[in-house]
Amino acid sequence: MTEDGAAGSRRAGGGAAARAGDRAALDRLLGDPAMEWLVTRVRKRIPGAGEALLSGTVQLSGPTAEQRAAAVRVVGPPRRAGTALRVDLAVVEEILRRGPWPAGLADAVETLTGPVVDRRVQQVRETAAWEAARDRLAPVIAHFPRLARWWGPWCAAGGLKRVTSTEAARIGAPVTPALGADLVSRAAAVMDRLPAVQQPLPVLARETMGDAHGLDADRPLGRLMVAVARAAFMPDAEPEELSRRDVWASAGVMLSTVSSTALVLGVAGASSPDPGYGARRARAATATATSLEAMREARIPLVLTLDQVRSGGVRAMPRGSVVHACENPTIVEVVAERWARQRAEAEREAASTGGQPDEALGDAAGPVLVCISGQPSAAVVELLQILTAEGAALRYHGDFDWAGLRIARSLLTQVEWVPWRFTATDYVQVVREGRPSRDLTGRPALSPWDPHLAEVMVEWDLAVEEEAVADLLATDVIGPETLSRRGPRARSESSAAVPGRPARRSPSRPGCVPGG
């Protein structure tokens, strides 16, 4: 076999290949179309013969007169007549080697029809090449040993070949082990720079591969790197619990300081920049604080970027105060609307009595509410850390579904919080009240802040989205709303069942006693 898996002339007696063959004679003997059947069958036998001479008999049933005559020209007339045409390959081998083609029958057939590829040898070599591509991550695995638990099985299951195929389609190249090896080498180059220290992803991509978009989510290498970084830096986390942003953050990489945001309501601005700030940061802190105070005064939600969170313009909450956090933006909208309505009512009351609006408002500090908006971003996590740095308590509420529990658990690993109407007792209560719900789907998750919560969710098999209890959460944060202001539509929405859903399951289901 040659290096590419093609059969060569290194067979027994192959030393005779040094003598030139008679190509014209070979064409007359085996190049005749009437001998095509023989040549085709010999080609199929070449890979299995290895270095040995070809032998055995090939047979053609119902040959034509031309096929019989062509065979006679090669090996002479048959010893006995028959309906089938039989040719002894050992005889053909001997005739060729002694006469027109010293290299033998296999070489003659390859000369006429092209090299014969041994698919088994080719497959062995290709497998070895893919394994070599896989092993280019070995130096990285030496630094991150737990990565090996994922990398080997993932490659064995075809993961590397799939990502290579996607990259090949993107750049218009064939799918080869060499392309796979290049992807792994580039991934290893990125991993050599990790963990980083709050480095923007485009900067990391440009420095490691000369392309600021090389690690984008729509690039095969970008998706490969997320999987590798997750296995290296967060090997014990469930993949569905982590966003791309979470994984890169665990490696000290930021997707962007402006795309990472936090939706807030009532967050106060710092009174003055830290004296140690430089001029640029002092301006940023003042601008952030001014924006926060203006929006707090207007009782309007505000979106902060990660840069603004880090500017120094956010005021920490004092010990004894409470920061509320929710999963969905709708809760912020409901609280903001009620908060603004309270101001309007207080101003009307003050106008009618001649008093001051603040006297009717009572606690002028107002709520502090932060929305997680799915998996917590770097901006959300750092904002909550700043707000609670002086001892303020953080209360959290999310969706009563498996994704909601995973989000809550992810937040709990980064910021300490206590449940806000987010326990087993609370879940059973809202289900029994007939709050809008749907069937619980997906893989169950854990609830470490209240292990019983996950258990009763399995028993009831109902998901309750946060919006279904928006009125309760708003009351906790900003106080009750007068019935006259709510109107019949709001009252009906707060207690309506999901359309088409049968009557709620009996509250006597086992294990579902509140707090039990």
Side-chain angles (χ1 to χ4, degrees):
M1 294 295 152
T2 62
E3 292 302 317
D4 62 358
S9 60
R10 301 187 303 274
R11 289 173 166 75
R19 300 195 303 273
D22 185 344
R23 178 60 188 264
L26 178 64
D27 287 340
R28 287 194 303 272
L29 292 175
L30 297 182
D32 189 329
M35 293 298 287
E36 183 178 356
W37 71 274
L38 176 67
V39 171
T40 299
R41 297 187 185 188
V42 170
R43 277 187 66 88
K44 293 180 180 179
R45 294 192 178 205
I46 289 175
E51 299 296 319
L53 298 179
L54 291 167
S55 61
T57 301
V58 293
Q59 178 174 302
L60 177 65
S61 300
T64 65
E66 290 79 6
Q67 289 171 327
R68 286 185 182 275
V72 168
R73 285 197 297 271
V74 175
V75 296
R79 295 178 182 178
R80 55 181 180 275
T83 57
L85 177 58
R86 295 181 178 85
V87 176
D88 188 336
L89 297 183
V91 173
V92 179
E93 185 84 63
E94 183 178 0
I95 291 172
L96 289 175
R97 286 182 178 275
R98 290 182 178 182
W101 207 258
L105 177 57
D107 187 79
V109 169
E110 290 187 287
T111 299
L112 291 170
T113 61
V116 176
V117 176
D118 188 336
R119 299 299 178 186
R120 292 172 298 181
V121 173
Q122 189 179 48
Q123 181 61 43
V124 169
R125 288 175 177 160
E126 184 174 353
T127 298
W130 280 111
E131 291 174 349
R134 174 202 64 196
D135 292 343
R136 291 200 176 193
L137 203 66
V140 175
I141 293 175
H143 290 287
F144 300 94
R146 292 190 294 178
L147 180 58
R149 295 186 303 177
W150 169 79
W151 179 245
W154 182 77
C155 290
L160 179 55
K161 290 182 180 179
R162 287 191 295 272
V163 74
T164 302
S165 177
T166 306
E167 175 69 2
R170 187 184 74 85
I171 63 176
V175 181
T176 63
L179 180 58
D182 179 64
L183 280 172
V184 178
S185 293
R186 286 188 282 163
V190 175
M191 288 297 295
D192 284 343
R193 304 289 295 274
L194 302 179
V197 181
Q198 299 301 318
Q199 184 175 34
L201 182 63
V203 175
L204 175 65
R206 187 179 64 249
E207 291 181 352
T208 54
M209 60 192 65
D211 180 359
H213 297 285
L215 297 174
D216 285 358
D218 62 348
R219 296 285 184 92
L221 180 59
R223 295 192 291 273
L224 172 62
M225 272 308 308
V226 169
V228 172
R230 180 176 58 232
F233 294 99
M234 307 183 78
D236 298 323
E238 294 289 342
E240 61 268 31
E241 296 178 9
L242 304 174
S243 66
R244 174 172 173 264
R245 180 178 59 201
D246 297 329
V247 174
W248 279 119
S250 71
V253 178
M254 301 179 297
L255 297 190
S256 168
T257 56
V258 294
S259 65
S260 179
T261 61
L263 174 63
V264 305
L265 176 68
V267 172
S271 56
S272 60
D274 189 299
Y277 291 170
R280 181 179 179 182
R281 186 176 180 186
R283 286 194 298 270
T286 299
T288 299
T290 301
S291 298
L292 285 169
E293 285 300 308
M295 298 301 273
R296 187 165 74 106
E297 173 64 22
R299 305 192 173 194
I300 298 174
L302 174 67
V303 175
L304 293 175
T305 66
L306 181 57
D307 276 343
Q308 289 174 304
V309 171
R310 293 174 173 175
S311 70
V314 178
R315 186 195 310 173
M317 298 287 289
R319 183 178 298 277
S321 57
V322 176
V323 177
H324 288 90
C326 60
E327 180 182 340
N328 298 283
T330 298
I331 308 305
V332 178
E333 295 177 22
V334 172
V335 173
E337 182 183 5
R338 186 179 297 187
W339 194 24
R341 216 162 32 233
Q342 283 184 350
R343 171 181 286 278
E345 292 173 356
E347 290 174 344
R348 283 195 297 270
E349 181 180 344
S352 65
T353 61
Q356 295 297 318
D358 286 346
E359 296 175 3
L361 287 172
D363 183 9
V368 175
L369 180 62
V370 178
C371 181
I372 303 301
S373 297
Q375 288 289 345
S377 66
V380 165
V381 171
E382 292 191 25
L383 175 62
L384 293 175
Q385 291 171 341
I386 291 170
L387 291 174
T388 58
E390 295 182 3
L394 174 61
R395 302 179 68 198
Y396 177 74
H397 186 282
D399 288 333
F400 283 116
D401 59 16
W402 300 131
L405 265 56
R406 291 189 175 93
I407 290 171
R409 190 171 70 173
S410 175
L411 181 63
L412 192 59
T413 64
Q414 302 173 82
V415 186
E416 184 178 353
W417 56 264
V418 294
W420 171 28
R421 293 185 182 270
F422 206 43
T423 66
T425 300
D426 300 311
Y427 171 78
V428 173
Q429 181 178 345
V430 296
V431 169
R432 285 178 168 172
E433 288 175 353
R435 298 266 173 177
S437 61
R438 55 179 170 79
D439 290 335
L440 190 59
T441 59
R443 190 167 60 86
L446 300 176
S447 52
W449 62 95
D450 181 5
H452 191 45
L453 171 58
E455 297 172 4
V456 296
M457 286 174 63
V458 169
E459 292 173 0
W460 282 87
D461 197 28
L462 290 172
V464 181
E465 294 172 336
E466 195 171 35
E467 292 82 351
V469 293
D471 58 330
L472 296 176
L473 300 178
T475 297
D476 290 343
V477 174
I478 202 64
E481 185 174 24
T482 58
L483 191 60
S484 61
R485 295 295 178 186
R486 294 178 64 193
R489 181 172 178 268
R491 291 197 302 273
S492 63
E493 286 178 350
S494 68
S495 59
V498 175
R501 187 169 189 89
R504 189 63 60 208
R505 305 182 188 194
S506 169
S508 62
R509 292 187 62 174
C512 294
V513 177

